[in-house]
Amino acid sequence: DSGVTQTPKHLITATGQRVTLRCSPRSGDLSVYWYQQSLDQGLQFLIQYYNGEERAKGNILERFSAQQFPDLHSELNLSSLELGDSALYFCASSGGVAGGQGTDTQYFGPGTRLTVL
Amino acid sequence: AQSVTQLGSHVSVSEGALVLLRCNYSSSVPPYLFWYVQYPNQGLQLLLKYTSAATLVKGINGFEAEFKKSETSFHLTKPSAHMSDAAEYFCAVTLNTGGFKTIFGAGTRLFVKA
């Protein structure tokens, strides 16, 4: 158990809908990262938040947005869903003291499997 | 552009045999390199990471990796494979962009035969 929790575990929805994925980082971790894992794209970095602020952005679609709240949990919002958005979405957290280090260990949650029908 | 290449999407070894999973990276700055393992229906777990303290890095479960700057490689090895090592392995590089962006290789699925 990494200490990172993600809800829900599974999500099935229809095209055009909007969903919210939730992540609770390990106690004390300030950084949260979101990743998408799909068969055709592999593991893709989406976005990083540090202590409530966006710090790094990857291949995140404009239809997707994220935020980190004062209690450090994070939400990933996916809207206007398409079939191709079906994937496993992972959240990870790291300590990130003083902004963090590139060598910080990221602890991954178990993921949310999103199926868009 | 930064990238990570894992040679071989599938590797099969016999139990007790040497495991060698290959990873090459491209990076214009000193890289932060990682190996992760993913078991079925689970998240990723860190095996080991290169921190520039030593070129030979030892990780969990008997795995180790050697950073070779001249070859831009960070291959993962284990002297003797165990059935429980069957999983997918990802090499990754983290870039400092003001925040930290991690680029993963495509992954190598390791099969261990009895």
Side-chain angles (χ1 to χ4, degrees):
Chain A
D1 184 358
S2 67
V4 177
T5 59
Q6 291 187 247
T7 56
K9 193 169 183 179
H10 300 277
L11 197 49
I12 301 174
T13 189
T15 54
Q17 295 299 304
R18 181 180 188 276
V19 297
T20 297
L21 312 183
R22 182 187 169 100
C23 169
S24 293
R26 292 190 323 150
S27 177
D29 281 359
L30 299 175
S31 274
V32 168
Y33 310 78
W34 285 98
Y35 297 90
Q36 179 195 60
Q37 185 177 34
S38 62
L39 284 175
D40 54 343
Q41 300 279 351
L43 260 168
Q44 300 278 324
F45 167 75
L46 295 178
I47 198 163
Q48 179 208 358
Y49 276 83
Y50 171 78
N51 204 20
E53 294 186 0
E54 182 186 307
R55 281 296 179 91
K57 214 166 186 177
N59 302 322
I60 187 166
L61 300 172
E62 285 191 12
R63 300 183 285 108
F64 295 1
S65 64
Q67 54 184 328
Q68 186 180 28
F69 294 87
D71 67 353
L72 301 177
H73 91 271
S74 179
E75 293 181 356
L76 179 67
N77 300 295
L78 315 176
S79 62
S80 303
L81 285 168
E82 302 175 359
L83 296 177
D85 297 328
S86 295
L88 199 49
Y89 291 84
F90 287 109
C91 164
S93 73
S94 67
V97 173
Q101 305 274 344
T103 53
D104 283 349
T105 296
Q106 292 184 31
Y107 296 88
F108 282 75
T112 292
R113 183 168 295 280
L114 173 66
T115 302
V116 182
L117 300 176
Chain B
Q2 320 294 348
S3 66
V4 177
T5 302
Q6 290 185 242
L7 296 175
S9 59
H10 297 84
V11 170
S12 182
V13 301
S14 297
E15 193 172 21
L18 171 72
V19 176
L20 171 61
L21 304 182
R22 299 177 188 272
C23 172
N24 288 88
Y25 67 92
S26 70
S27 175
S28 56
V29 296
Y32 305 118
L33 292 162
F34 303 79
W35 275 100
Y36 289 89
V37 61
Q38 185 178 29
Y39 297 100
N41 300 313
Q42 293 187 28
L44 278 74
Q45 180 183 7
L46 180 69
L47 274 178
L48 49 80
K49 60 183 176 182
Y50 171 66
T51 62
S52 76
T55 55
L56 184 61
V57 183
K58 294 190 184 298
I60 62 171
N61 302 338
F63 284 93
E64 60 183 37
E66 186 171 8
F67 172 67
K68 291 187 177 180
K69 185 177 179 180
S70 60
E71 299 177 9
T72 61
S73 69
F74 192 55
H75 301 331
L76 182 71
T77 60
K78 181 173 180 177
S80 177
H82 192 272
M83 297 296 288
S84 61
D85 294 327
E88 185 137 27
Y89 293 80
F90 293 92
C91 182
V93 60
T94 291
L95 311 172
N96 188 339
T97 61
F100 299 106
K101 174 180 176 180
T102 298
I103 298 173
F104 286 89
T108 298
R109 184 164 294 278
L110 176 66
F111 297 93
V112 182
K113 300 174 291 186

